[in-house]
Amino acid sequence: MEYLVLIYEPEAAWENMPEPQKKAELAEYMGLGAAFPDRVRGGHGLKPTRTATTVRVREGKVMTTDGPFAETREQLGGYYVIEAKDLDAAIEVAAKIPAARRGSIEIRPVMTY
Amino acid sequence: MGALHRAEWGRIVASLIRTTRDFELAEEAAQEAFAEALAAWAERGVPREPRAWILTTARRRAIDRIRRRERSREHEAELAVIAELARSVVASPDDAREAGGDEGADAGAAALDDDRLRLVFTCCHPALAPEAQVALTLRTLLGLETEEIARAFLVPTATMAQRLVRAKAKIREARIPYEVPPPERLAERLEGVLHALYLVFNEGYAATRGEALVRQELCAEAIRLARLVVELLPERHEPIALLALMLLVDARRPARLGEDGELVLLEEQDRSRWDRALADEGRALAVRALRARPLHPYAVQAAIAAVHADAARAEATDWAQIEKLYDVLRELAPSPIVELNAAVASAFVRGAAHALARVEEIESSGALEGNHLVAATRADLLWRLERREEAARAYREALASVGTAPERRFLERRLRACEGAEDEERARREGARERC
């Protein structure tokens, strides 16, 4: 079954990270696919929320605002798309994500129509 | 029939869930099978293997229900489920009598135990909210009716029904696996299971809201489940520790409420009303649990309960031993409540003033804000130190957040006693002043 694994953590943590640690963590992120070859289908790190734009359409009017959907203490920093046989298999992958040690990882089943 | 239902419901539902992975379907099929059994056996008598009869019938009803569903994307999967169910169904329910035999019955029983264990771990999966874990466990493993569970936890039946529906939906939609966790995760997941049972027992023993302080049926169900887990996981010591704790605490229940339904403190309980058989069984289990490593907090709590059980009269309580056990618990599983209980125990060894200082420290940390027990404990210590005015203030504080009616009445009686003593004191002082 497909799951979306959403990575939330305080952006400042990543931005203020010393270079060596950043490199090491990046390697972990890149390496997750190798650690779970049959599960990780894809994923991306996202640029910080200051680059975000939110679009809403109300009564036919397109409203564009600067910033992410919601101001929260932890921000969406990236995601993986994984294929896993059950929730426990998905949790195994999520637990290996570096941000899990500081932030929160949300696991959401992907809808099938 | 009631006894059979209680004994077999969990096994039958667990087996059906294993094959169909559908909680609703499993429960409905089981329900139908029991209803059929009631009718058929009234006429033809109870078969030699009642469990096999009901299981077979339930599998048939499950097949019927799946067939009646509209064709869906899951059709292929459903056909596979029907095939699996059919493989285990014999020609007629009466054949189950012959087909089983004693050997067949044992092999069947072992498989059903495996299924029940899977079910326990599924119901108590950490991805489900704690209240959902508790509700689902009581419903699917013990076959308690939604209404019964609702009443036990003092929520409307519709709320409990919703809770169960959502829990099952989560299991289905997020694909929570139906299995016993692998060895490397068993200890951690078992903690979750035991914690859910502990919640059930605690709710039954010291209800957080409502009229009755002790809801007997919840304690009984928690103990039943704990016994089941002990039986299904004989190599683990943690379930033994929990069962020991439950039995030793439950042994005191008959003395906990007075004839008028009023709360009776441990030091005032009529110990002749304690259930000695239960206490003895609990003590034996506690001894086993205390030998196991790593030492589990439940084992230490059981040991404390055993020390109380060993005292024929309150005055004979070995408080020094209890204090030592709390010191162990404070290391093993520190928490504000453990600190509070440790402070209470220390009062008997080092005096109320010493204990009061510790309680005040706990309070200033803010950890137990909104919990009436801290204020009530402080009040009790001030009462013992005969500082009546301060005790009265503390009792009023406790009353602001107390949850159950018997506890409220107890606090109110103490408050009145304080105020009565205050009035006496005041009258004496004024009388003295006048005479001067």
Side-chain angles (χ1 to χ4, degrees):
Chain A
M1 189 158 109
E2 242 189 350
Y3 295 91
L4 191 63
V5 176
L6 300 153
I7 303 167
Y8 291 92
E9 69 167 329
E11 293 189 310
W14 181 256
E15 306 232 282
N16 300 334
M17 204 176 287
E19 266 314 304
Q21 194 187 338
K22 221 182 231 183
K23 275 187 76 179
E25 284 205 3
L26 218 47
E28 277 189 81
Y29 278 102
M30 299 299 173
L32 209 66
F36 296 101
D38 52 340
R39 281 180 238 182
V40 176
R41 290 280 188 267
H44 289 99
L46 301 173
K47 291 193 181 174
T49 53
R50 64 174 176 273
T51 67
T53 308
T54 301
V55 175
R56 292 187 183 86
V57 179
R58 299 282 186 271
E59 289 165 36
K61 274 191 68 180
V62 179
M63 298 171 336
T64 306
T65 46
D66 173 34
F69 154 62
E71 297 297 334
T72 50
R73 274 208 300 273
E74 295 180 335
Q75 291 83 39
L76 181 65
Y79 68 93
Y80 286 98
V81 177
I82 66 173
E83 174 65 41
K85 73 169 160 71
D86 55 43
L87 185 60
D88 282 358
I91 291 172
E92 254 192 309
V93 178
K96 287 283 188 288
I97 294 171
R101 309 194 276 262
R102 301 179 289 270
S104 313
I105 312 295
E106 181 179 324
I107 299 174
R108 193 84 82 86
V110 169
M111 182 81 94
T112 48
Y113 298 99
Chain B
M1 193 64 198
L4 189 71
H5 187 274
R6 286 173 79 73
E8 301 300 336
W9 175 268
R11 282 197 184 92
I12 296 193
V13 167
S15 173
L16 289 168
I17 289 177
R18 181 177 47 78
T19 317
T20 66
R21 297 304 164 98
D22 188 333
F23 275 67
E24 300 282 6
L25 175 66
E27 281 178 32
E28 281 157 2
Q31 200 98 296
E32 276 184 72
F34 273 98
E36 267 189 55
L38 200 59
W41 300 355
E43 261 178 71
R44 289 179 265 149
V46 178
R48 201 182 67 170
E49 304 279 349
R51 176 198 300 163
W53 194 101
I54 297 183
L55 186 54
T56 302
T57 307
R59 284 176 176 145
R60 287 234 178 88
R61 294 293 78 79
I63 292 174
D64 292 342
R65 280 176 169 269
I66 296 173
R67 287 206 179 113
R68 281 203 297 270
R69 285 182 187 162
E70 284 178 18
R71 267 185 104 91
S72 71
R73 301 181 77 253
E74 315 280 329
H75 188 67
E76 294 274 319
E78 282 178 349
L79 287 178
V81 170
I82 290 178
E84 162 102 36
L85 284 167
R87 255 197 300 275
S88 36
V89 168
V90 291
S92 89
D94 301 302
D95 290 354
R97 228 187 313 143
E98 276 105 55
D102 285 326
E103 221 187 80
D106 284 340
L112 292 176
D113 279 351
D114 288 340
D115 286 341
R116 269 194 306 179
L117 196 56
R118 287 191 192 101
L119 189 54
V120 169
F121 279 101
T122 307
C123 290
C124 295
H125 196 283
L128 296 169
E131 324 86 73
Q133 290 178 31
V134 161
L136 202 56
T137 302
L138 290 172
R139 172 89 197 102
T140 44
L141 269 154
L142 296 181
L144 263 65
E145 295 300 339
T146 304
E147 206 209 302
E148 285 181 85
I149 307 173
R151 240 185 305 121
F153 286 91
L154 300 170
V155 299
T157 306
T159 304
M160 187 56 75
Q162 258 292 66
R163 193 175 291 177
L164 287 165
V165 164
R166 265 189 250 119
K168 293 175 203 168
K170 172 89 190 256
I171 292 173
R172 196 174 52 243
E173 289 170 357
R175 209 179 277 180
I176 289 176
Y178 182 66
E179 66 190 20
V180 176
E184 64 272 16
R185 273 196 283 283
L186 189 62
E188 177 196 319
R189 291 287 306 279
L190 181 57
E191 263 319 293
V193 170
L194 297 180
H195 185 71
L197 301 190
Y198 186 69
L199 286 179
V200 175
F201 184 84
N202 249 10
E203 188 62 31
Y205 194 79
T208 49
R209 292 171 313 284
E211 187 54 42
L213 186 59
V214 174
R215 279 202 296 286
Q216 205 161 319
E217 63 273 15
L218 281 181
C219 293
E221 300 303 354
I223 288 174
R224 241 182 99 200
L225 281 167
R227 287 192 192 283
L228 178 64
V229 178
V230 167
E231 191 193 316
L232 294 174
L233 287 172
E235 352 66 72
R236 311 273 341 179
H237 60 96
E238 303 94 332
I240 293 175
L242 179 62
L243 180 57
L245 175 59
M246 287 182 181
L247 293 177
L248 283 159
V249 170
D250 203 47
R252 305 203 294 253
R253 196 167 28 83
R256 200 154 182 246
L257 293 181
E259 262 128 38
D260 44 0
E262 291 315 310
L263 177 61
V264 180
L265 291 188
L266 182 57
E267 56 230 41
E268 287 155 20
Q269 284 176 15
D270 175 3
R271 300 187 175 208
S272 68
R273 298 175 67 189
W274 285 0
D275 186 332
R276 281 291 146 197
L278 222 56
D280 288 342
E281 191 192 347
R283 191 189 296 104
L285 292 171
V287 167
R288 279 174 66 187
L290 285 165
R291 283 203 218 105
R293 294 289 175 271
L295 186 60
H296 197 284
Y298 290 146
V300 182
Q301 288 180 257
I304 293 169
V307 174
H308 280 298
D310 284 346
R313 294 168 348 267
E315 303 76 50
T317 307
D318 188 349
W319 285 107
Q321 172 73 301
I322 292 179
E323 198 192 29
K324 283 202 206 89
L325 287 166
Y326 268 115
D327 283 340
V328 173
L329 199 55
R330 288 163 77 198
E331 283 277 338
L332 207 54
S335 84
I337 287 285
V338 169
E339 281 304 316
L340 189 63
N341 289 337
V344 169
S346 75
F348 292 93
V349 181
R350 293 162 211 285
H354 165 94
L356 184 61
R358 284 167 66 166
V359 172
E360 285 169 347
E361 228 184 280
I362 296 168
E363 257 177 320
S364 57
S365 78
L368 287 172
E369 224 177 289
N371 187 323
H372 74 285
L373 287 172
V374 206
T377 304
R378 183 159 44 86
D380 182 64
L381 291 166
L382 288 162
W383 164 274
R384 285 198 242 174
L385 291 165
E386 302 204 353
R387 286 153 64 172
R388 305 288 191 208
E389 260 184 64
E390 294 169 271
R393 265 203 300 275
Y395 278 122
R396 273 184 216 110
E397 249 187 80
L399 278 162
S401 40
V402 70
T404 67
E407 277 179 301
R408 172 173 306 109
R409 289 195 291 268
F410 172 83
L411 293 172
E412 281 169 353
R413 266 183 286 128
R414 278 287 180 91
L415 178 59
R416 280 198 297 278
C418 287
E419 288 168 339
E422 268 178 67
D423 291 340
E424 264 180 47
E425 189 54 44
R426 210 176 300 126
R428 207 172 339 119
R429 273 190 263 124
E430 280 168 9
R433 230 182 289 128
E434 268 183 17
R435 265 179 260 123
C436 298

